[in-house]
Amino acid sequence: MTATLIWILVALVAVGLYLSWTAGRLDRLHARIDAARAALDAQLLRRASVAQELATSGVLDPAASIVLYEAAHAARQAEEDQREVAESELSQALRAIFAETPQVEAVRQAPGGEEAARELTEAVRRVPMARRFHNDAVGAARRLREHRKVRWFRLAGHAPFPMAFEMDDEPPTALVERAA
């Protein structure tokens, strides 16, 4: 009888340790999501800021400046539920404006244009990487949260279900080709 109780106690402790380890792992994944989201937000803000700066610099033609400024401003001011759409529209505006190499070369030839084009190229290259890191972390957390043990024992606590950030982040080809 005593040996049976000891084995039951050992089994309960082992299960408790395993559940505690799983909860800690889930907590670390949520922290990784938060860090990746902060990095993504920083890269999106940097891209919008550089685009807005370029739009107001006088380097682009007036129509392109207006389109780029409005898209960048909308991306910076978007509410959380509209952010993906606004960022996708900024990507589309950047692709439309920098669709052809002559436009990129015209920007580079203008005073201060080389630096602005370089900053924009770096910004549009970093956004897809930051989004990929964020979505990878979200995917890992979602896979763990789908396990029965996590649901049954409510190991996620009150943390919201992680959502991926889906947007059009394809960079303008003429802009990144020149830098490559």
Side-chain angles (χ1 to χ4, degrees), residues 22-101:
T22 304
R25 180 172 165 224
L26 190 58
D27 186 52
R28 287 188 302 276
L29 283 171
H30 281 258
R32 190 172 125 202
I33 290 170
D34 291 342
R37 181 57 187 238
L40 175 61
D41 286 341
Q43 292 305 322
L44 291 172
L45 180 63
R46 180 172 182 247
R47 181 181 76 153
S49 297
V50 170
Q52 207 168 20
E53 185 179 314
L54 184 62
T56 59
S57 69
V59 172
L60 299 171
D61 64 88
S65 293
I66 290 171
V67 169
L68 187 57
Y69 181 83
E70 287 180 355
H73 181 70
R76 289 182 71 175
Q77 300 299 320
E79 296 293 325
E80 192 60 36
D81 60 336
Q82 294 296 316
R83 183 107 187 258
E84 293 172 350
V85 173
E87 294 293 346
S88 293
E89 288 173 356
L90 176 57
S91 295
Q92 292 165 1
L94 285 167
R95 277 198 312 274
I97 292 167
F98 297 108
E100 298 180 14
T101 307

